[in-house]
Each structure stands twice: as C-alpha cells, then as structure tokens.
C-alpha cells in the first residue's frame, strides 16, 4: 500500500539551531516526493520536490531534502531555523497520477 | 500570475444541506485536484479533473462530486451534509500531469452544525 510516515508529530527547536524532519514512504514505483509547509489558516506552499536526478534537492527558504532510495526516506533539513519557520510541514508522495498521498504532518515550534 | 483562488473562504451549513465550493486555477493550468483536510484523517485526495473530465478519484462516498468547466475552473459539491464533513477543503492546480507541481489555494473552511 502507498503511504507516507512522518514519525514526529511535534518538534521544538531553538532559533538558529539546525532542523531535520523525517519522512518515510512506501510506494511501488519510482516516486515523486514533495515537502509542503502550511501556516495556520493557510493553504499548502511547496518547499521542494524530487522527481529524478540529483538526490539532494534545494528548495525555498533555505530548505533542502535528500532522497535515499535504500531507506525509502526523504528527510527535510535546514541548517539554521528562523522564528518564521514555525508551521506545519507535510511530506507527500505521488507517481503516475496527480493524486498526492500526504503524511500526517510535523508541527514545528521555534523557541527564541 | 495570480495564484489559486477558492470561494468562499468560510461556510457554515447544517446537517442535511448541500454545499458547492469553487476553485479558480492558475491561468494556463488544466488540472484541478481537491483534497479534504481534517484533524483526524489528515489530508485526503478527493478527485482530480482535467479537460472537464474526472481523471482520478479518491475513496469518498458519492455525496462528494465535482465538475470542471471549459475555462478549467472547478466546483465540488457535497450533498446531504454530515457533521464529519466539517473540514478544510483545498484545491490544487497544475499544468497537466504528475510531473507538474501542484499549487494549492488557501482553502474553504466548511463547518457543519
């Protein structure tokens, strides 16, 4: 079955600290992988995506993610977190259709 | 370029009523997908429309339906509303196929009383 697991429901980091959000997927074919961010009361904004090629993907706002096929993972990283990064982060997988399967999300809190 | 717009932003309905939500995609985008977001079930795919035809469908009952017009604008309809239909309904548009990025609108918050 196709699924996405985000094992961390809630993470708190200090401003300026590094961040890594975990994402594991189960997908039968070669996946397309995405990270979206959602601020309260807002829609989803795409941070980055992986379709093929270089397994280290750069996104907006200083985020990057690494696709590791052997581990079925697509973890999101940022070297230095800013207070404005506080939001909910969703990992998603897609394939040969436009249907995206989302993880349950990780809520990020940033301490001053 | 204007982003994806959804109207209305907020709706309050009572059980048994029906509701229609609207989505205007980014200019030039031909695919529109709908998602339901709830605290309990998370983000779930409802359906996708492309060139006025439903191209993909999620696992929702027949009370949930949609359509797409020739200008790519899309509507979704929920009939015989239930309390569990209270959710944020998100619309996403993309150029055509799965290789294209989906851009999400701000959503319509539906509350069923």
């Amino acid at each position: 079955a196709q699924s996405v697991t985000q094992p961390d429901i809630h993470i708190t980091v200090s401003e300026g600290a590094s961040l890594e959000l975990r994402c594991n997927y189960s997908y039968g074919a070669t996946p397309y992988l995405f990270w979206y961010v959602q601020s309260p009361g807002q829609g989803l904004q795409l941070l980055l995506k992986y379709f093929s090629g270089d397994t280290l993907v750069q996104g907006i706002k200083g985020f990057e993610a690494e696709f590791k096929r052997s581990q079925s993972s697509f973890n999101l990283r940022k070297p230095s977190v800013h207070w404005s990064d506080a939001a909910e982060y969703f990992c998603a997988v897609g394939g040969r259709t436009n249907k995206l399967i989302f993880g349950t999300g990780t809520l990020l809190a940033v301490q001053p | 370029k204007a982003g994806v717009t959804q109207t209305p932003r907020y709706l309050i309905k009572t059980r048994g009523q029906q509701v229609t939500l609207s989505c205007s995609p980014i200019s030039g985008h031909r695919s529109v997908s709908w998602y339901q977001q709830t605290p309990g079930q998370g983000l779930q795919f409802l359906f996708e429309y492309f060139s006025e035809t439903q191209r993909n469908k999620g696992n929702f009952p027949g009370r949930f339906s949609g359509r797409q017009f020739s200008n790519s604008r899309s509507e979704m309809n929920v009939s015989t509303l239930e309390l569990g239909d209270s959710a944020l309904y998100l619309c996403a548009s993309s150029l055509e196929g799965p290789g294209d990025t989906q851009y999400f609108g701000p959503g319509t918050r539906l509350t069923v009383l």
Side-chain angles (χ1 to χ4, degrees):
Chain A
Q2 301 165 355
S3 65
V4 175
T5 301
Q6 293 181 249
D8 304 306
I9 296 172
H10 188 274
I11 283 183
T12 299
V13 299
S14 298
E15 191 167 16
S18 64
L19 171 71
E20 182 169 26
L21 302 182
R22 296 182 290 165
C23 173
N24 291 94
Y25 68 90
S26 173
Y27 199 80
T30 300
Y32 297 151
L33 294 159
F34 307 83
W35 275 100
Y36 283 89
V37 62
Q38 185 177 37
S39 298
Q42 302 297 314
L44 300 172
Q45 181 184 22
L46 180 70
L47 288 174
L48 46 79
K49 61 185 180 184
Y50 171 80
F51 283 175
S52 65
D54 193 349
T55 56
L56 185 61
V57 180
Q58 302 297 320
I60 63 171
K61 304 184 180 186
F63 286 94
E64 66 177 27
E66 187 171 11
F67 170 57
K68 292 185 177 180
R69 186 186 300 274
S70 61
Q71 298 176 21
S72 297
S73 69
F74 189 57
N75 294 350
L76 182 72
R77 300 193 294 250
K78 186 170 184 178
S80 178
V81 170
H82 188 262
W83 63 266
S84 60
D85 293 325
E88 191 157 21
Y89 292 79
F90 292 92
C91 180
V93 66
R96 287 175 289 178
T97 73
N98 262 352
K99 174 183 176 181
L100 294 180
I101 298 168
F102 285 87
T104 50
T106 297
L107 188 60
L108 174 65
V110 180
Q111 285 182 334
Chain B
K1 235 182 207 181
V4 179
T5 58
Q6 293 187 244
T7 57
R9 292 293 310 276
Y10 302 91
L11 265 178
I12 299 176
K13 293 286 187 179
T14 57
R15 279 181 299 175
Q17 288 187 310
Q18 74 166 18
V19 67
T20 299
L21 313 181
S22 180
C23 172
S24 292
I26 293 171
S27 177
H29 285 194
R30 296 168 62 194
S31 168
V32 174
S33 297
W34 289 88
Y35 292 82
Q36 181 196 63
Q37 185 177 24
T38 60
Q41 299 298 316
L43 281 152
Q44 294 185 287
F45 174 80
L46 280 155
F47 31 64
E48 180 211 3
Y49 285 86
F50 178 80
S51 291
E52 302 179 64
T53 302
Q54 188 180 86
R55 186 160 69 172
N56 291 291
K57 188 177 187 306
N59 297 323
F60 278 81
R63 299 186 298 108
F64 292 82
S65 62
R67 59 178 175 168
Q68 187 180 34
F69 302 94
S70 58
N71 61 358
S72 294
R73 190 177 70 85
S74 177
E75 289 180 347
M76 68 163 281
N77 183 276
V78 188
S79 62
T80 319
L81 283 166
E82 301 177 358
L83 295 178
D85 297 332
S86 294
L88 181 67
Y89 290 89
L90 293 164
C91 159
S93 78
S94 67
L95 279 170
E96 291 195 12
D100 301 315
T101 298
Q102 292 190 49
Y103 296 89
F104 283 79
T108 294
R109 172 73 64 184
L110 171 65
T111 302
V112 182
L113 302 176

